[in-house]
Amino acid sequence: HFGRPRRGSPGHPVQATPSGRMDPFEDTLRRLREAFNSGHTRPAEFRAAQLQGLGRFLQENKQLLRDVLAQDLHKPAFEADISELILCQNEVDYALKNLQAWMKDEPRSTNLVSPLDSVFIRKEPFGLVFIIAPWNYPLNLTLVPLVGALAAGNCVVLKPSEISQGTEKVLAEVLPQYLDQSCFAVVLGGPQETGQLLEHELDYIFFTGSPRVGKIVMTAATKHLTPVTLELGGKNPCYVDDNCDPQTVANRVAWFRYFNTGQTCVAPDYVLCSPEMQERLLPALQSTITRFYGDDPQSSPNLGRIINQKQFQRLRTLLGCGRVAIGGQSNESDRYIAPTVLVDVQETEPVMQEEIFGPILPIVNVQSVDEAIEFINRREKPLDLYAFSNSSQVVNQMLKRTSSGSFGGNEGFTYISLPSVPFGGVGHSGMGRYHGKFTFDTFSHHRTCLLAPSGLEKLKEIRYPPYTDWNQQLLRWGMGSQSCSLL
Ligand SMILES: *[C@@H]1O[C@H](CO)[C@@H](O)[C@H](O)[C@H]1NC(C)=O
Ligand SMILES: *[C@@H]1O[C@H](CO)[C@@H](O)[C@H](O)[C@H]1NC(C)=O
Ligand SMILES: *[C@@H]1O[C@H](CO)[C@@H](O)[C@H](O)[C@H]1NC(C)=O
């Protein structure tokens, strides 16, 4: 639990200084603050150079990155490429292409009463931003926010997850060589170090992780009133209508559920369908799983592993909920969990209480779309919601009567690779949004500016007391016709 550094704990000699001040971050943060205040990061050329550096890091270390992703998560190379490497490269290229346009002041209209004022929105960097990343997509969820933070002209402290150790090491040792180190730092450590860093005054905090830790981060942020983006998770429902073709649904749901071994915050977490649909869906899911991963998924090159023992043990406990219909095998020394489907699951069981974050798909029976909507709406708002139906009416009903960070009709989370739409939660699944220009906007303060002519005082005089009948009338008319800038 961070926010409460254990002072002087043995095994952390870096924290114990003779003065009793235990702060390994002070120097780094002061250095970055000074660099920001010097204006160094503001010019477009500087920002572009950082983005180009990031692009070179991805290009020149492609194989190394694939290797560490395989080491951390046994990520199949194809999954590493599409959900981590190519994705990050695309974000870099997109930001480089649009940087000038994003940075431009946005002129806004004035009105008839003050035609000579100039009004615009300027995008200015916040200053020192802190990005806290998770382990499940250790590049994607670290570098995609970084692209926007650098493009917006900030200094950045990046904390990769200590749990995805291989990737953490590359991000700490190799990435800084490609960026200006006076404006960028990678910090290492776990909850304790993060808590310690959060004691400092930062200008923006971008956190991806669980709602539980999200609350700790937000609490820490109140100390300095630091704005936060929280990219959290949740249990994403997946409704399957009776009129669906079971094989089509099985293919789509299984791919998105078992991708990255289920360790995906936007994965369909559980299926809601009628008992009849369940009977048709099970053989279809079995056939999909065999086609994807063979008769022995443990030996399949297309399936990753659980990140560590702690997560493995948690998931193995969940296998005891309901009844195993497909899969259910596990192997501790290999941190392997078979692609699994559970049925006869009760809403009160652990597998329906926590975000699963593993290759386990429970099916919960509902009798109708109304019952499914009622089920979804009595729980926290999810990050994502999926509805499969051959009737667009049913899909639209789901969309209209529920709320979630994003929504997929007859499809999984493919929208995530589109820079044209924002990604982010609502309610318990988080706050704030990013991807493409939305990341740039997240890391920029939108400053409203009005520049009036320095002269022409005669024109402005009408607003001052004494309020005569004549100027009061004129002012009221001005406000009534939304010409408020008369004031
Ligand atoms: C990036 O990471 C998120 C983490 O939840 C994942 O859902 C997504 O699939 C990844 N991006 C792409 C394009 O796959
Ligand atoms: C909708 O029905 C058509 C025709 O039966 C079928 O080919 C298609 O896969 C179905 N779509 C879904 C999502 O079930
Ligand atoms: C677990 O997996 C390892 C590595 O594949 C294998 O050597 C071992 O025999 C398996 N253990 C069991 C109990 O199946």
Side-chain angles (χ1 to χ4, degrees):
H1 299 261
F2 46 83
R4 219 165 285 277
R6 273 175 287 130
R7 298 191 177 250
S9 64
H12 288 276
V14 64
Q15 293 168 31
T17 62
S19 66
R21 284 284 296 150
M22 299 170 299
D23 204 330
F25 302 117
E26 210 166 272
D27 289 346
T28 305
L29 296 181
R30 187 181 318 108
R31 174 168 62 79
L32 295 183
R33 177 76 65 198
E34 278 165 12
F36 181 75
N37 289 342
S38 77
H40 199 49
T41 59
R42 288 186 183 241
E45 300 71 40
F46 179 84
R47 305 183 194 193
Q50 301 311 299
L51 293 172
Q52 281 153 359
L54 193 46
R56 276 202 313 281
F57 164 74
L58 289 166
Q59 289 301 325
E60 291 171 14
N61 299 286
K62 207 175 270 176
Q63 195 50 47
L64 175 64
L65 290 167
R66 278 193 199 120
D67 291 347
V68 290
L69 290 169
Q71 179 191 325
D72 287 337
L73 289 143
H74 286 243
K75 245 185 230 256
F78 174 71
E79 293 191 3
D81 280 0
I82 66 167
S83 68
E84 304 253 30
L85 293 166
I86 296 176
L87 173 83
C88 292
Q89 187 68 52
N90 286 348
E91 288 276 344
V92 170
D93 295 344
Y94 190 75
L96 273 169
K97 198 171 115 215
N98 292 289
L99 185 62
Q100 297 281 355
W102 293 348
M103 286 177 67
K104 268 214 187 82
D105 288 344
E106 284 174 34
R108 285 293 188 261
S109 54
T110 51
N111 52 42
L112 287 174
V113 186
S114 57
L116 299 174
D117 292 349
S118 119
V119 177
F120 58 90
I121 300 169
R122 169 153 304 176
K123 268 60 70 67
E124 58 176 33
F126 279 104
L128 188 46
V129 314
F130 185 28
I131 297 174
I132 310 171
W135 50 263
N136 59 330
Y137 288 85
L139 274 188
N140 158 349
L141 299 178
T142 308
L143 301 187
V144 174
L146 179 63
V147 168
L150 294 174
N154 295 285
C155 286
V156 182
V157 183
L158 187 71
K159 206 205 78 65
S161 172
E162 78 286 6
I163 294 171
S164 37
Q165 294 166 11
T167 314
E168 181 199 37
K169 195 161 160 10
V170 175
L171 290 172
E173 291 173 7
V174 185
L175 176 61
Q177 298 167 21
Y178 292 84
L179 299 172
D180 184 317
Q181 298 202 31
S182 66
C183 311
F184 173 78
V186 176
V187 298
L188 301 178
Q192 189 182 346
E193 288 75 15
T194 307
Q196 214 168 8
L197 217 153
L198 284 172
E199 297 267 313
H200 292 271
E201 183 158 7
L202 301 156
D203 300 309
Y204 203 95
I205 301 168
F206 189 103
F207 169 79
T208 306
S210 67
R212 184 186 67 81
V213 180
K215 288 179 191 173
I216 300 173
V217 170
M218 195 163 167
T219 304
T222 59
K223 183 176 168 194
H224 300 287
L225 287 179
T226 310
V228 292
T229 289
L230 302 176
E231 295 289 343
L232 311 178
K235 287 185 80 63
N236 307 314
C238 178
Y239 174 68
V240 180
D241 198 6
D242 278 343
N243 62 18
C244 285
D245 168 49
Q247 198 59 62
T248 304
V249 174
N251 293 345
R252 295 187 191 176
V253 173
W255 191 55
F256 288 106
R257 168 74 283 188
Y258 303 125
F259 193 93
N260 203 35
T261 329
Q263 299 164 109
T264 306
C265 55
V266 285
D269 187 274
Y270 61 93
V271 163
L272 289 170
C273 70
S274 68
E276 297 74 41
M277 190 63 209
Q278 176 180 314
E279 284 323 298
R280 299 166 62 211
L281 206 50
L282 285 175
L285 280 165
Q286 177 66 74
S287 117
T288 298
I289 290 169
T290 308
R291 192 152 39 85
F292 286 4
Y293 309 109
D295 289 323
D296 174 24
Q298 194 183 346
S299 59
S300 166
N302 304 319
L303 188 71
R305 292 297 182 263
I306 306 307
I307 182 82
N308 60 17
Q309 277 299 327
K310 185 176 159 210
Q311 293 293 327
F312 174 84
Q313 297 302 345
R314 181 184 63 80
L315 287 164
R316 190 147 74 174
T317 311
L318 297 184
L319 291 174
C321 300
R323 175 171 64 80
V324 171
I326 299 170
Q329 301 82 1
S330 62
N331 177 318
E332 181 170 348
S333 66
D334 198 19
R335 297 197 313 274
Y336 163 74
I337 295 207
T340 296
V341 179
L342 301 174
V343 294
D344 302 336
V345 173
Q346 300 305 311
E347 205 184 333
T348 48
E349 289 183 278
V351 80
M352 285 308 294
Q353 299 299 311
E354 61 190 82
E355 183 175 357
I356 296 170
F357 230 64
I360 302 173
L361 181 69
I363 301 181
V364 176
N365 289 142
V366 288
Q367 299 302 335
S368 62
V369 63
D370 287 328
E371 197 183 320
I373 290 171
E374 199 252 316
F375 186 96
I376 292 164
N377 286 343
R378 67 168 183 263
R379 309 172 72 97
E380 302 287 7
K381 288 182 183 176
L383 185 55
D384 238 310
L385 198 161
Y386 303 103
F388 287 82
S389 175
N390 242 313
S391 146
S392 57
Q393 231 175 343
V394 169
V395 173
N396 281 321
Q397 223 185 108
M398 237 336 143
L399 177 54
K400 205 156 74 184
R401 291 169 56 195
T402 59
S403 177
S404 60
S406 14
F407 180 89
N410 292 316
E411 181 57 310
F413 47 83
T414 38
Y415 68 86
I416 233 166
S417 61
L418 305 174
S420 55
V421 284
F423 172 69
V426 59
H428 213 247
S429 52
M431 59 186 72
R433 55 203 54 76
Y434 73 124
H435 285 188
K437 179 172 190 285
F438 302 97
T439 321
F440 176 88
D441 285 340
T442 282
F443 286 110
S444 302
H445 167 55
H446 291 219
R447 186 181 192 183
T448 290
C449 307
L450 182 148
L451 308 184
S454 58
L456 304 176
E457 179 60 6
K458 272 273 166 272
L459 280 180
K460 303 270 181 192
E461 252 166 22
I462 183 169
R463 61 194 167 173
Y464 305 138
Y467 301 127
T468 63
D469 277 352
W470 183 80
N471 66 10
Q472 278 191 61
Q473 243 177 42
L474 203 62
L475 278 167
R476 291 207 171 95
W477 167 82
M479 292 189 73
S481 62
Q482 299 190 330
S483 304
C484 298
S485 84
L486 195 67
L487 297 167

